[in-house]
Amino acid sequence: MASLRQWRFAVVFLLLQVLGAQQKPTRYALPTQPPGHDAILVGTAWYPEQWPESRWEEDLRLMEAANIKVVRVAEFAWSTMEPSEGKYDFDWLKRAIALAAKHNIVTVLGTPTAAPPAWLTSKYPDTLRVDENGRRATHGNRAQASPSSPKYRELCRRIAEQMAIRFGHTPSVVGWQIDNEYGYAQMSYDAGTRQKFQDWLKAKYKTLANLNNQWTTAYWSQTYDSWSEIPIPVGGHNPGLMLDWKRFVTHEYDGYQRDQIEVIRKNSDPRQFITTNFMGWFDGYDHYILSQALTFPSWDDYVGSGHVDADNNGLTHDLTRGFKRSNFWVMETQPGAVNWHAVNNFLNKGEVRAMAWQAIAHGADEVGYWQWRSALNGQEEYHGTLLGPDGTPVPFYEEVSQIGHEFSAAQDAFRGTTVTSQVALLNSYDSRWAIQFQKHTQKYDYVAVLKSYYKPLHQLAQSVDVISPDAPLAQYKLVVAPALNVIPKDIADHLLEYVRNGGHLVLGPRSGMKNQYNGLLPQRQPGYLVDALGGRVEQYYALEKDFPVSGDWGSGDTSVWAERLGTSSSDAQVLMRYGKSNGWLDDQPAAITRPYGKGRITYIGALLDDKLMAAAAEWMVKDSGVTPVFGSVQDGIEVSRRSGDGKDVLVFINFAQENRSVALPHPMKCLLKDAACNQLDLPAYGVEVVVEQK
Ligand code: GAL
């Protein structure tokens, strides 16, 4: 029989359950959408420390008028926040944050560790990076400190901690940005870093015999007899050593960010997010690993020269969304022009607005303009801004103001929504690095290969996730690995499980060649997947010119890379064959496919031209039962969907340079027009956001 205590416990438990059910938030909260604020936001990088305080109010008034709702501040303000060691001055920052809040602007605080103050680098010169030639960096630029320096790490931790103690509970501080673009992954080649690398290798390999074996150091007499003999690679080194160095760089930046994250977390409200601003396809470190410690990733979206390439930009948004399989922020983007490219042309009128909406459409919840106003002196005087040196708006301010007002008008439709896709593209830093160390042909470009698959697949499916090969795959109807060069056993098992359960896995050239130590797999490509594929790569060829290829997907060319495939299983089917080429490839299989488990594996050994790639994508999509987000649209129109919290919102953007129209399946609500609509007429860079009518 239950005792009275047990009864009481049961009643309280039941009550809590009922109350809990009632208190369940009605809205699905995303950490990228700060509670109590608009779901999608426009922001700007503001540097109050560069201006007299009497000016701040006017800045914020102008921001508020443009519906700018976020400022990111302080990420280069170390010398103002800590003018001498251990002497802090945060009062000015407190006043700036409070004044911004008065203008309905929330703050993201950047930790200032990308730009150490002069007192620090003079007092502790060992914190400065040493380059490959033994030269120590000097003061006056940024990212000149070593992320491996214990002293630098201690000083970074201290300033981050002091900031968190001051602002970790400030209601209008919604989050933190750690550092800025993580030093472009520039490592120091000093003795301390080398020692740390050797210790890291020791922890990984345990014995030198193991390391020597995995790196095959008998080759060129590289055999190590002591950990201290192992160098930092500077290029042309052993592929195993080079790949481990990249992983060590990732490890060091992860430690560097975690030091700061730890003290911020300890001293801040859990509602404050922690992010950092990555740089798209930059490959200095493994972004999947670094993203783990962050609430969500952000990136800095700069076009540089020329004009926005919608596929490139969409792909990079999707890449960033895949770092943590979450929404993200575009922490910085260009207000028209940058100052660091070959030709710093201004983007066309309306182009920046199209980019802003593209970011939202692909899963961003904030778009921040770098920067509000140029400092009157400093390295970036020529960069695009929203105000001129006189402190009044430049013509471009109008476009941001339009974006700000549109975001406010449409924001509620995006609350709790995110992007979901039926197609995933696998991206791996290990594979990218492994290929880059030994390209075999300078013409091979890892990102261009990914893009050649992304473009037609995105056109057909209208939504593609870019994810790490170890991410969960069950939700996808089609998983494409355009260049998965490194496939260790555990990843092979993960991929096979996906296929066994009914998925379609498509592998591109160079797949499954290497193990986790960057050593060759003895099975030949695709390594552990050979048996399931019922075929393999017999030989690979770097091409000096295009060769013909034809079959189920039509006729066309292969360029840069071609692999001669062979089948070993009677149910492996040849989809494409090479035509007359170098003799070795003539009439040999270029693409094969085989049912496996409840699914299918396909291997494409050639880099196909655009037309063949489009046909191949059509075949993949059809075979896998992938359905588009919306349906067919005219060339140049990008359509995307965000859903969640019982909502579905479509974003249409016209990236063509002429007018385009879209017929909607039934009358819907156009949020930017603020009217019912059944057809969209979009000029160049035109945008519309569409939801079902209530
Ligand atoms: C970014 C950087 C900013 C600014 C900007 C100029 O990479 O984070 O601080 O320099 O470039 O385009």
Side-chain angles (χ1 to χ4, degrees):
M1 221 170 85
S3 71
L4 190 64
R5 251 186 97 207
Q6 280 169 321
W7 275 113
R8 210 186 289 152
F9 176 79
V11 170
V12 170
F13 179 77
L14 263 173
L15 252 172
L16 284 176
Q17 293 282 88
V18 172
L19 281 176
Q22 279 170 353
Q23 282 169 0
K24 259 203 191 124
T26 47
R27 300 211 147 188
Y28 173 62
L30 296 172
T32 38
Q33 300 180 338
H37 298 278
D38 284 0
I40 54 171
L41 300 160
V42 172
T44 191
W46 184 46
Y47 299 95
E49 73 275 19
Q50 296 169 5
W51 301 98
E53 199 164 331
S54 55
R55 167 70 208 186
W56 296 353
E57 180 101 46
E58 176 61 1
D59 278 341
L60 295 161
R61 186 191 68 76
L62 285 166
M63 286 182 206
E64 193 178 14
N67 266 16
I68 289 175
K69 308 221 165 182
V70 182
V71 282
R72 187 203 54 191
V73 299
E75 86 279 10
F76 294 116
W78 198 340
S79 64
T80 316
M81 292 189 286
E82 191 180 359
S84 59
E85 188 170 3
K87 299 269 176 298
Y88 300 101
D89 180 3
F90 291 108
D91 293 348
W92 64 274
L93 186 52
K94 195 171 165 194
R95 292 194 297 276
I97 293 170
L99 205 58
K102 194 183 118 193
H103 287 273
N104 298 310
I105 296 171
V106 298
T107 298
V108 174
L109 280 174
T111 67
T113 50
W119 62 255
L120 189 157
T121 51
S122 340
K123 190 163 172 192
Y124 306 107
D126 286 358
T127 59
L128 288 166
R129 256 188 304 108
V130 174
D131 71 14
E132 289 96 323
N133 305 314
R135 266 198 346 230
R136 208 171 268 286
T138 52
H139 191 82
N141 205 319
R142 56 181 170 177
Q144 69 269 54
S146 163
S148 299
S149 152
K151 188 69 200 175
Y152 193 60
R153 295 262 280 254
E154 177 196 323
L155 294 162
C156 290
R157 205 179 149 95
R158 213 186 287 161
I159 184 71
E161 184 174 36
Q162 290 299 321
M163 289 177 79
I165 289 170
R166 284 348 181 262
F167 303 111
H169 307 289
T170 305
S172 71
V173 173
V174 293
W176 298 81
Q177 173 189 297
I178 308 292
D179 200 80
N180 193 76
E181 298 184 340
Y182 286 160
Y184 320 116
Q186 297 174 99
M187 291 295 283
S188 183
Y189 292 77
D190 59 273
T193 303
R194 182 172 172 194
Q195 163 90 52
K196 269 182 135 181
F197 178 46
Q198 291 160 348
D199 293 346
W200 180 86
L201 289 169
K202 195 169 174 183
K204 175 172 176 172
Y205 289 92
K206 309 285 188 276
T207 66
L208 271 176
N210 183 28
L211 177 143
N212 281 319
N213 178 37
Q214 299 297 359
W215 292 0
T216 322
T217 51
Y219 177 81
W220 283 1
S221 272
Q222 292 163 36
T223 314
Y224 298 108
D225 306 301
S226 142
W227 296 98
S228 64
E229 291 167 0
I230 302 173
I232 296 178
V234 288
H237 269 99
N238 176 292
L241 169 66
M242 304 241 288
L243 189 57
D244 272 332
W245 171 251
K246 287 287 192 186
R247 291 169 175 150
F248 174 72
V249 173
T250 302
H251 172 81
E252 284 305 285
Y253 274 98
D254 195 35
Y256 175 74
Q257 69 168 1
R258 279 178 194 269
D259 275 356
Q260 298 187 39
I261 290 171
E262 201 180 288
V263 288
I264 293 173
R265 268 287 157 255
K266 213 180 271 168
N267 295 288
S268 64
D269 293 338
R271 69 172 169 85
Q272 291 185 338
F273 63 73
I274 301 180
T275 188
T276 195
N277 52 341
F278 290 127
M279 295 169 279
W281 285 99
F282 175 75
D283 70 341
Y285 27 67
D286 188 324
H287 293 60
Y288 296 105
I289 293 177
L290 291 190
S291 294
Q292 282 170 19
L294 304 171
T295 316
F296 59 81
S298 301
W299 80 287
D300 295 346
D301 183 3
Y302 290 101
V303 173
S305 285
H307 293 272
V308 64
D309 171 329
D311 292 309
N312 260 349
N313 210 46
L315 171 60
T316 317
H317 286 310
D318 296 345
L319 169 81
T320 309
R321 194 178 68 246
F323 288 154
K324 228 186 151 159
R325 286 173 287 118
S326 68
N327 285 15
F328 59 95
W329 279 25
V330 172
M331 195 59 87
E332 300 179 10
T333 190
Q334 74 189 61
V338 300
N339 67 323
W340 44 261
H341 224 276
V343 176
N344 297 302
N345 62 286
F346 213 93
L347 297 181
N348 292 341
K349 201 164 183 208
E351 194 171 352
V352 169
R353 172 176 170 256
M355 283 178 69
W357 277 111
Q358 190 188 26
I360 301 296
H362 284 253
D365 283 326
E366 193 257 10
V367 177
Y369 291 89
W370 198 96
Q371 61 173 328
W372 176 243
R373 181 180 178 183
S374 279
L376 292 180
N377 210 327
Q379 278 92 324
E380 296 171 297
E381 292 174 22
Y382 274 85
H383 201 282
T385 53
L386 277 73
L387 300 191
D390 63 343
T392 69
V394 293
F396 176 76
Y397 169 93
E398 274 313 309
E399 190 158 321
V400 171
S401 176
Q402 183 186 356
I403 299 164
H405 285 89
E406 287 178 348
F407 275 20
S408 300
Q411 61 88 22
D412 203 40
F414 290 93
R415 192 174 299 284
T417 68
T418 185
V419 177
T420 47
S421 309
Q422 298 176 6
V423 180
L425 220 57
L426 301 186
N427 168 53
S428 132
Y429 289 88
D430 281 359
S431 291
R432 184 169 170 192
W433 292 326
I435 290 175
Q436 265 158 211
F437 298 152
Q438 294 169 306
K439 273 184 137 183
H440 207 55
T441 163
Q442 286 311 310
K443 291 184 193 158
Y444 186 96
D445 175 339
Y446 174 92
V447 178
V449 170
L450 248 68
K451 195 182 155 196
S452 75
Y453 278 81
Y454 175 87
K455 200 175 159 176
L457 285 169
H458 186 263
Q459 224 155 51
L460 295 165
Q462 297 167 337
S463 186
V464 174
D465 286 353
V466 181
I467 53 171
S468 162
D470 60 1
L473 301 176
Q475 76 174 83
Y476 300 106
K477 292 185 173 166
L478 174 64
V479 170
V480 182
L484 204 54
N485 194 238
V486 175
I487 306 189
K489 181 80 172 61
D490 55 336
I491 295 295
D493 289 344
H494 177 57
L495 297 175
L496 285 176
E497 192 196 344
Y498 164 72
V499 180
R500 238 181 259 118
N501 291 331
H504 186 172
L505 172 69
V506 178
L507 300 164
R510 304 185 84 144
S511 290
M513 185 184 194
K514 302 285 193 81
N515 67 15
Q516 67 189 95
Y517 306 105
N518 210 1
L520 294 170
L521 284 166
Q523 296 92 329
R524 305 228 201 141
Q525 294 164 250
Y528 296 108
L529 302 175
V530 164
D531 288 347
L533 176 66
R536 66 173 192 181
V537 174
E538 299 298 341
Q539 193 153 32
Y540 52 81
Y541 305 88
L543 305 184
E544 72 220 284
K545 60 178 190 197
D546 294 359
F547 288 138
V549 58
S550 62
D552 288 18
W553 304 330
S555 297
D557 290 326
T558 175
S559 57
V560 182
W561 195 270
E563 291 169 344
R564 170 174 159 168
L565 309 181
T567 56
S568 54
S569 167
S570 57
D571 55 351
Q573 181 195 339
V574 177
L575 296 167
M576 299 291 287
R577 282 184 189 275
Y578 299 100
K580 190 152 180 42
S581 26
N582 60 358
W584 303 109
L585 284 166
D586 297 7
D587 204 32
Q588 297 299 321
I592 60 176
T593 187
R594 179 178 183 236
Y596 180 75
K598 292 188 200 141
R600 168 173 296 284
I601 304 192
T602 299
Y603 193 103
I604 304 175
L607 285 182
L608 303 172
D609 65 34
D610 290 353
K611 214 171 119 240
L612 281 181
M613 204 61 244
E618 218 171 305
W619 175 84
M620 291 175 214
V621 160
K622 211 184 226 164
D623 175 87
S624 324
V626 171
T627 48
V629 156
F630 175 76
S632 121
V633 284
Q634 286 178 301
D635 243 28
I637 293 276
E638 190 192 87
V639 50
S640 318
R641 182 180 63 210
R642 284 180 53 161
S643 51
D645 199 19
K647 296 170 189 159
D648 251 322
V649 42
L650 293 165
V651 181
F652 294 86
I653 306 172
N654 180 11
F655 283 105
Q657 291 307 297
E658 305 125 45
N659 295 348
R660 292 276 188 266
S661 57
V662 180
L664 299 175
H666 51 259
M668 296 178 88
K669 173 100 200 267
C670 280
L671 295 182
L672 301 189
K673 237 199 214 158
D674 194 19
C677 50
N678 49 21
Q679 161 145 341
L680 311 178
D681 294 305
L682 300 173
Y685 299 126
V687 181
E688 192 48 89
V689 180
V690 177
V691 292
E692 292 293 344
Q693 271 180 320
K694 292 247 165 73

